[in-house]
Every structure is written in C-alpha cells, then in structure tokens.
Amino acid sequence: MAAKRAVVFASTFSAAAGIGDVCRHGDQKEGGCLADGWGCTGEQVEFQPYQLKVERWDSASEKNLGYGTMESYALGAAPGTWQMYLHGPMLRPSERTTPTSIPPVYVSGTWVSAIYRYENFSLPAPGKPLTATQKLVGHALSPSTTWPVEDKHGKLKGLMVAEGQPWWLDRLPVPQEVYKGGVEYLPVNDQEKCNYIFPEEGMHKELGQVVNTVDCHRGTGVCFFTVWKFYDDQRPIWSNMSQKVAPDCLYYCIAERLDDHPSCAHVGVVKDEHGEAICHKDGRGAVHGMTIGNTDSSNPNQFDKLLVFTGGATFTGGESSMQKVRVNIEGGISAQASDKQLSVMKSEPFALDLFSKLPPKGQDAGGDHAWVDETGKWIWISTFRESAAGIHMVSYDEGRLVYSVKGIDSYLPNQYAYSAGIHGVGTLGKSGSYLAVATSACHDVNACAPIPWMFPVPQSMWASGIFFIIDLASMSPDTTEAADAATVLV
C-alpha cells in the first residue's frame, strides 16, 4: 500500500515537475558576468577583521584547552545578496596572481539561487579590512556546492553545481522553477546553456533530487553526489515513506568529457565493501558532505573519500559521524568511461575525537563538510551544532583531533551563524594559506527557519549569513608546546 501511495504521489506532482530552469549566466541588470568572472566589473566589498579563538585537543583529559588565536575576515549579507543562506565555498588556487595572495573564491547563495565569485583580494593584515571584488556570475536552483570543470591547461570551462530545493519552489509567490534539484552544468561560454547531469532516469529525473555536495576525482574521471535533505532522520518530517520515495544516498557518476561539457556514462548508488548501499540509516542519517582524499601513491586508480554523515534537523541533538572509504576504479585512468567500474575496498570510522568525544553527552557535533590540505596530512572539518560549532583540524591517517577554531557562530550579536561549507589552499602555518568558510544564520536555534528579507518581515528578524576568509598563517604556536607544534606544522 505504501508503494502504491508513492506512485500516486509521484504521478500527481510529475506534471508540475521540471517547470522552468533558473540556471543561467549573470543577468545584464546584474552586470552580465560569466561563470569565470569575465564580462563585468563587479563591485568592491570589505571583509571586516575578526579574531577567532583556537583550542587544542588534550587527549589525556579528552577536552579542548585554550591555545591561541587566528585572524579572519568576515563579510555579512547585504540587501540584494544571499540573505540568511550561504553555502559551499570553492577556491581557485591556479588563478591567483602571487603565491601569497588569496585566490578567487566561489560561494553559493542558496536562498536567492545565485552563485558569487570574489577576486582581486587585498593582502590580509591583522586588524585591517580586507577588500575584494564581488561578482554575481550565475544562477542555479538553490545551489549548495560547485566543482570546477577545467580543460587540460587548467582553464575554467564551467561549474558543476549541486542544487537542492526540498520545498520544490525556488521563490515565492511566483517561482521560476518547480523542481527538487540535481547536478547541473553552468558553462562559461555565453552562447551555451545549462544542462542537467543528474538525475537522469525515471521518477527522479521528473521530480529531481536534493543534492548537497558534488566532488570529482579528476584522474579517474569519477564524480560523487550526495543526495541529502536537512530533515534526514528528523521524525515525523522524515518517515519510512521518505526513504522509499526519495531516499538520501551517495551516488557515483562515471563521467565523460569531464574537461568540457560533462555527462555521466553510468550512475549508481555507491555500495560499501559488503555490498550495502551507502544510504540513510536510522540513527546515522545519510552522507551530507564529502571530499576526495589522497590518491594511492602506487596505484592512481585507488583513492580515499571522506564521508560526513548527518541526521536530525536540530542544533543540539541528532547524529553525525565520518568514514574514510577506499575506492577502486577498475579500468581507471586508461579505460573508456563505459568500461570503468567502481568498487569500495574498505571503510572505517574516522575523526572519533571530534564526533564521539568532544560533544557533551546527549549532544552532537553536527557534521558539515571537509577539506584535505595541500600536504595530505591534515583535514579541516566544519561542524554546525552548538556543542562543537566551528572548524576543526584532524590528522589524515588517524583522524586525531588537533585544533578547534571557535567564534564563527557568534560574529553578529543575537545571531547563530552555523557552518555550511569549507574549502582552502595551503596548510596551517604556511604563508599564503587560507580557509574559506560559508555560514547560514538564524536568530533562534530552537526555531531556526529561513526568514526572507522582504516586507512585511521586520528587519529585526532578518539573519545574515557570514562569509569568512581565515588566514592559516596567522596562528602562533604556544612556545610550551613547541615540539608538538613543529610536528603539526610540518
């Protein structure tokens, strides 16, 4: 009977599915920017200096202890920009002008279906504002993260955009698009239009799927998409029907033309080493964020994936965890896309200090996203729940918690800014190394709903998503821990 109701539900709404497509380049009235930032001048903005606190994990007491500070620069939403929801920064290190300059950064304005690019950053100086050029370079349905499609010379050809609109409508009262989302390609060329890459079959193609994260392993030409809804495992919103009709799962895409106009030769749900689909589980949630890890030095067809599982829609309780998964691509870099096959060789729990020991009993860290630094030795992980709000550095091999950076959540008074994406360049302690962190925001964590910046909502109820640039070279190690710090900063 449940399956029958699902079919009726799908049939009822499929007629409305796929109406419109907001994906496009920047409009002329917005400056007419292309996805690579060309064709417009943009506007200058200022990031305000903001010092963050750093804590170091003490394994003996299993607590974080005070350690130092780190310099950051913050830009809040302004009228006409992203309002309360900002997601998924993505840096372009290959485009920076000097080894120490801040690379161009893309961020996604989820609520306003817009993609922004920041470039021409001034050099950071403690206590002084950071200037940059802001450009609105494209639109997509409730974008969360992006991945750069490049040619063999590293030139940007377009963006793969993860789109997710669990409420179907991109805006009210008159929507431009009625769809749940997917992965769409936004080309740089102004003569080309966007096209959907995923989903591509059956009911999901008709209705869409809420995609949070897109990432690809460029060497083997394989991409991964996380289908995840913010209310995963939050009953009664999440139900057994949710899992049957619209399951949250980790998908793979054996890609073709990943250097220009990508498509999927084959799409499927990733299965673990036991043949079990990596999908929602009660008490675990589903894969929210993920990032490609290190490639095996002796076998370029094998690499790690770092998976961040999250369930529950509150800012205290819920569940989150991580796994490190080793993936093998049969055929790998030498085979045609149609001849490649993906398998998971092993998976193991990861970052247990952060997810199991740091939060107080009965609370949860709130796993968000992750980024592996240039050394391959350290991973930065963002977390959004109150008990561990901030960003954290853990060791790649062991998942050992090293540092926690605090203060992102309290930048503006009477607002809770929670992490919604992290990306970076370089490594801790090295000049020219930076993290970009996007946050979304609300005034009350007990009722953290999107409040639009529009009449008749009073401005006192508006919340501002904050975009942070963090200078990873700005922290001075404690001299009493010089030996440990030297190890960390290698």
Side-chain angles (χ1 to χ4, degrees), residues 177-333:
E177 184 171 0
V178 181
Y179 202 54
K180 292 176 68 176
V183 178
E184 197 159 8
Y185 176 59
L186 171 63
V188 166
N189 191 327
D190 62 353
Q191 300 302 308
E192 299 175 5
K193 294 183 178 181
C194 301
N195 65 279
Y196 268 100
I197 299 170
F198 171 88
E200 58 179 16
E201 293 182 350
M203 183 180 71
H204 291 317
K205 182 177 182 179
E206 292 296 319
L207 306 179
Q209 289 180 279
V210 178
V211 179
N212 185 274
T213 309
V214 53
D215 200 7
C216 302
H217 185 259
R218 212 177 289 275
T220 56
V222 176
C223 298
F224 298 87
F225 314 139
T226 68
V227 172
W228 180 86
K229 293 175 281 294
F230 74 92
Y231 55 83
D232 186 289
D233 218 19
Q234 184 67 48
R235 296 183 183 274
I237 306 173
W238 180 268
S239 65
N240 294 337
M241 179 68 74
S242 303
Q243 182 63 12
K244 291 180 179 179
V245 177
D248 285 355
C249 297
L250 175 65
Y251 286 79
Y252 69 90
C253 158
I254 305 296
E256 294 183 300
R257 300 185 65 184
L258 196 53
D259 58 351
D260 183 26
H261 296 89
S263 61
C264 298
H266 179 64
V267 172
V269 174
V270 178
K271 296 182 179 180
D272 66 17
E273 64 270 35
H274 307 294
E276 183 177 356
I278 301 179
C279 295
H280 162 89
K281 278 187 177 181
D282 291 348
R284 183 183 73 173
V287 181
H288 173 189
M290 54 91 185
T291 190
I292 301 292
N294 294 337
T295 299
D296 191 302
S297 59
S298 60
N299 186 346
N301 298 330
Q302 293 183 9
F303 56 91
D304 293 333
K305 281 195 58 59
L306 287 306
L307 308 181
V308 184
F309 293 85
T310 312
T314 71
F315 286 85
T316 53
E319 61 269 351
S320 59
S321 59
M322 282 189 71
Q323 286 185 5
K324 182 193 289 184
V325 175
R326 174 55 62 98
V327 174
N328 179 68
I329 307 301
E330 185 177 339
I333 60 177

